[in-house]
Amino acid sequence: QLQFVESGGGLVQPGGSLRLSCAASGFTFSYYDIGWFRQAPGKERVGVSCIGNSNSSTNYVDSVKGRFTISRDNAKNTVYLQMNSLKPEDTAVYYCAAVSGTISCAVLPGSIWGQGTLVTVSS
């Protein structure tokens, strides 16, 4: 099973930064492309950023380009999301999942959603 545990969320003021971590288990991590997703209150879960299995390619939704950076450490089975210049509209629960490619960032069947980590951007 493709399982994930997200961490690193919290309360931050507008303009601040956070670094999210996503620890994977149950599969050969280095074989898979991984994506970060978020779900704001009352809204559907949407893709934020995806990264290829060898760090060779990344993709971002327009609203976070230039502010967020995705990276991974295959030795630690972990994907990171560095979030800078945070805005109130970034407030959401953030999740990660295995995806089918960095262009589509479509969640793979069998990827199990974790609990997510809550990011709240507020003054």
Side-chain angles (χ1 to χ4, degrees), residues 50-97:
C50 292
I51 187 167
N53 60 357
S54 61
N55 267 318
S56 59
S57 63
T58 58
N59 194 13
Y60 300 89
V61 67
D62 285 346
S63 60
V64 307
K65 284 181 180 177
R67 300 188 299 122
F68 290 11
T69 302
I70 190 171
S71 63
R72 65 191 292 164
D73 184 338
N74 286 344
K76 295 182 178 180
N77 287 3
T78 302
V79 176
Y80 304 98
L81 188 67
Q82 177 67 44
M83 306 187 297
N84 299 329
S85 303
L86 282 161
K87 303 176 181 180
E89 50 264 43
D90 295 317
T91 295
V93 179
Y94 284 72
Y95 304 86
C96 52

Side-chain angles (χ1 to χ4, degrees), residues 6 36-40 42-48 93-97 107 112-116:
E6 302 88 354
W36 278 100
F37 298 79
R38 66 185 179 186
Q39 187 168 18
K43 296 187 177 181
E44 294 186 351
R45 186 155 39 199
V46 297
V48 175
V93 179
Y94 284 72
Y95 304 86
C96 52
V107 178
I112 299 174
W113 294 109
Q115 295 290 330

Side-chain angles (χ1 to χ4, degrees), residues 10 12 16 63 86 92 105 117 119:
V12 62
S63 60
L86 282 161
C105 292
T117 186
V119 172

